[in-house]
Amino acid sequence: MKFRTIILILFTSILANCDRDNVNLTNAGISTRLHGKFSDFNKNPASNVIIKVGEYKETGGATYPSGFGSTKMEFIQFVKEVYTDNQGNYDFTFQTTGKGNFYRIEIGEFTKPNEPQLLWQPFTYDLSESNDNSKIIGKELELNNINLYNLFPCDVNIQLNNIQIFPITPSHNKTLYYNLSKINSNQNTTARIYIDKYQTQIFELFRVKPNGIRQKASYTFPASNVEMLTVQNIIVNEIDFVDI
């Protein structure tokens, strides 16, 4: 038993040393150019979209000769931060700092609770591959996207008509869940959702009956076609809820 314990300790120590020793940082001062255009599905430019290049340090992983260990990704810093222009274009160059070995471009960003949502949906693109920066770093990349959505606020005034079962959870497909509060009484309330201006919007209310059956009430709003705060009014009745 003691022999097996010693072997296990030695094996663990070897793996730990491999993780520490096999950190090949990218040389500092390597320039990479990124450019392209972002627009929505209707070909309108996505302007003022934030673009950030994150620098990370990757250690460990099965890329090592031993084939053991777990990958660890440590965020170091953002080495570049720019915005698309009025036509949705961007064109910039960033440089490596010598502190990282993995790079990722981040387009848009998730807002914090109670902050306005401006874009759906943020996304990322890896400029490096595991333990290998030859993919893009030191070269040039044109990255375009035609599936972005600029979002605009819409206040939904909710009038509850003698509803019997609570809580009720509002939901909208482009509004982050933490920006919508549960409804716990028949007191009228307002939910702020974030919508694109082109599409019909579906606003939903969910609840669970005492017997465990989930229910949903759906309300449809026409496309707003405007880039400003809009207002919708709904009256919620018991008959609106259907089992799902």
Side-chain angles (χ1 to χ4, degrees), residues 147-244:
N147 296 307
L148 298 178
Y149 290 89
N150 290 318
L151 298 182
F152 309 97
C154 172
D155 282 348
V156 183
N157 295 323
I158 305 170
Q159 179 181 338
L160 296 122
N161 186 17
N162 195 29
I163 299 303
Q164 302 299 309
I165 301 173
F166 294 96
I168 294 172
T169 303
S171 178
H172 176 259
N173 70 333
K174 289 187 176 67
T175 304
L176 297 172
Y177 72 93
Y178 50 68
N179 280 334
L180 293 170
S181 300
K182 288 187 176 181
I183 301 170
N184 294 296
S185 72
N186 273 294
Q187 182 177 356
N188 296 341
T189 186
T190 298
R192 172 160 290 187
I193 61 176
Y194 293 90
I195 63 174
D196 68 88
K197 66 179 182 178
Y198 305 108
Q199 297 181 328
T200 298
Q201 304 295 322
I202 298 177
F203 180 71
E204 297 176 313
L205 301 174
F206 291 89
R207 70 181 186 181
V208 180
K209 297 167 65 175
N211 61 6
I213 295 177
R214 297 182 71 235
Q215 289 189 312
K216 177 179 69 174
S218 296
Y219 306 89
T220 301
F221 310 138
S224 68
N225 296 310
V226 297
E227 299 182 0
M228 57 189 295
L229 173 65
T230 54
V231 177
Q232 299 289 345
N233 300 294
I234 61 174
I235 299 175
V236 181
N237 298 291
E238 274 290 329
I239 197 174
D240 296 345
F241 288 91
V242 297
D243 295 347
I244 55 175

Side-chain angles (χ1 to χ4, degrees), residues 37-68:
K37 181 173 183 175
F38 297 149
S39 58
D40 62 28
F41 74 100
N42 210 29
K43 298 183 180 180
N44 291 304
S47 60
N48 203 38
V49 175
I50 191 170
I51 303 172
K52 297 185 288 187
V53 178
E55 182 176 52
Y56 299 80
K57 182 169 70 174
E58 183 186 38
T59 59
T63 54
Y64 298 144
S66 65
F68 295 96

